[in-house]
Amino acid sequence: MISLQDLHFSYGKSRPVLEGVNLECHPGRICGLLGKNGAGKSSLLYNICGLTFPQSGRVSVLGYEPRRREPAFLSDVFLLPESFALPAIDLAAYVRSYAPFYPRFDKEAFGRYLGLLEIEVPGKLTSLSHGQQKKVLIAFALSTNAKLLLMDEPTNGLDIPSKRQFRKVIAGSLREDQCMLISTHQVRDLDSLIDEVIVLEDHRILLHESVSRITEKLSFRQVMNLDDTDAPIYSEGALKGYAVVAENRHDEQSRLDMEMFFNAVMVEKEKVLSLFTA
């Protein structure tokens, strides 16, 4: 569905934003794109949907070259940007204006998603708060039934209940022929949601692994004392002792803690990566 080979990208003559990026994403998967602010996550999404063009490398998305921006390609890709400005029109006018670009747009599903996200639009879209506007766009994105959904920091601006609603709606909406690539630096917001983790660092993809393989290689747990665990790779103080990331040497069953995993990769890069390259 997404195939990037040796992608290089920069803005003009500035330092490279992406260098030698290789990435494969497949249908039926929710992929979490993690990285610090400024790591190049947005630039990667924009190259995938054809809003920016690589200096070199090959980009194939849904069998198309995104930079050509063909109508058949655009009708099957939806980008939810981090920054946006909705027009000063009501919801019905918005649907009339934008839904025709997506042949499989489901108006009934749109209403259902708005209900699940607890959104009512009595007047113009611009009368809504930023968080409410973002939830309208999330509902619209899901209703397009586009095969590829790209979401750039979708939980920015959402309050805690709205983030919970977001995770619930996303988890129940993915189809087998659909792929979601969700970028965030608020890694905890993607807990229990994603199938694959992609970490972007130093202009390139540092790690791309399934959640199942991560928990096969690493265990995530809390201990009262660091002596209670075998040589933790990474640890943080917690309310009851320590939160620990350790090598999974005894086939332990643990739940991926996205924030702990991301921090472990950032702080103990070589130790973590060696487990997945051996």
Side-chain angles (χ1 to χ4, degrees):
M1 184 161 277
I2 298 174
S3 178
L4 311 181
Q5 297 177 15
D6 199 29
L7 183 150
H8 289 72
F9 172 76
S10 62
Y11 292 99
K13 296 182 179 180
S14 61
R15 61 178 296 192
V17 177
L18 301 169
E19 289 187 281
V21 170
N22 296 290
L23 177 65
E24 298 283 338
C25 294
H26 302 284
R29 310 292 283 177
I30 299 177
C31 301
L33 178 61
L34 313 183
K36 299 176 182 177
N37 284 336
K41 301 186 301 297
S42 297
S43 296
L44 182 59
L45 295 183
Y46 294 163
N47 271 266
I48 289 171
C49 69
L51 288 176
T52 54
F53 311 145
Q55 274 69 46
S56 62
R58 180 177 179 272
V59 182
S60 177
V61 178
L62 303 176
Y64 296 91
E65 186 180 357
R67 68 188 302 159
R68 297 176 64 87
R69 306 281 289 174
E70 297 174 65
F73 167 77
L74 295 175
S75 69
D76 246 342
V77 176
F78 190 95
L79 170 68
L80 174 64
E82 180 179 9
S83 301
F84 58 87
L86 292 182
I89 56 178
D90 63 24
L91 189 62
Y94 184 85
V95 171
R96 285 196 303 271
S97 298
Y98 293 96
F101 291 105
Y102 301 95
R104 291 187 299 278
F105 184 84
D106 188 333
K107 190 173 181 179
E108 183 178 328
F110 183 47
R112 185 169 65 252
Y113 289 132
L114 289 175
L116 290 171
L117 292 168
E118 299 181 0
I119 287 294
E120 293 184 5
V121 190
K124 292 182 179 180
L125 293 171
T126 49
S127 69
L128 301 175
S129 69
H130 176 75
Q132 290 174 317
Q133 288 184 21
K134 178 160 281 190
K135 289 197 284 186
V136 169
L137 281 182
I138 290 169
F140 187 88
L142 297 175
S143 303
T144 65
N145 286 303
K147 289 184 179 178
L148 178 61
L149 293 178
L150 306 171
M151 297 190 178
D152 193 7
E153 304 288 356
T155 58
N156 275 5
L158 299 186
D159 56 23
I160 292 175
S162 296
K163 290 180 179 182
R164 185 179 63 251
Q165 294 165 347
F166 169 79
R167 288 192 292 268
K168 182 178 179 180
V169 167
I170 294 296
S173 65
L174 185 73
R175 303 192 317 270
E176 290 185 359
D177 66 341
Q178 196 173 40
C179 176
M180 295 186 192
L181 182 55
I182 304 175
S183 158
T184 187
H185 69 277
Q186 301 184 36
V187 294
R188 193 174 292 278
D189 292 343
L190 297 188
D191 266 354
S192 303
L193 181 63
I194 68 169
D195 303 301
E196 299 178 11
V197 179
I198 303 165
V199 179
L200 193 61
E201 177 76 358
D202 296 329
H203 317 298
R204 64 187 69 242
I205 290 176
L206 192 64
L207 177 144
H208 180 190
E209 297 289 346
S210 67
V211 169
S212 60
R213 188 154 191 261
I214 292 171
T215 55
E216 174 190 319
K217 296 290 184 179
L218 296 168
S219 65
F220 301 81
R221 57 182 180 272
Q222 289 203 341
V223 297
M224 291 300 297
N225 193 307
L226 290 179
D227 294 333
D228 297 339
T229 189
D230 296 335
I233 294 174
Y234 177 78
S235 64
E236 291 180 0
L239 289 176
K240 296 182 179 180
Y242 297 88
V244 169
V245 180
E247 186 174 353
N248 189 359
R249 296 173 176 170
H250 308 291
D251 294 326
E252 297 179 40
Q253 299 294 318
S254 64
R255 178 176 171 272
L256 173 64
D257 184 316
M258 288 284 297
E259 185 171 319
M260 286 291 291
F261 176 69
F262 180 72
N263 289 340
V265 172
M266 293 295 102
V267 175
E268 298 291 351
K269 190 177 302 181
E270 292 184 6
K271 288 183 180 179
V272 174
L273 295 182
S274 66
L275 297 175
F276 297 95
T277 57

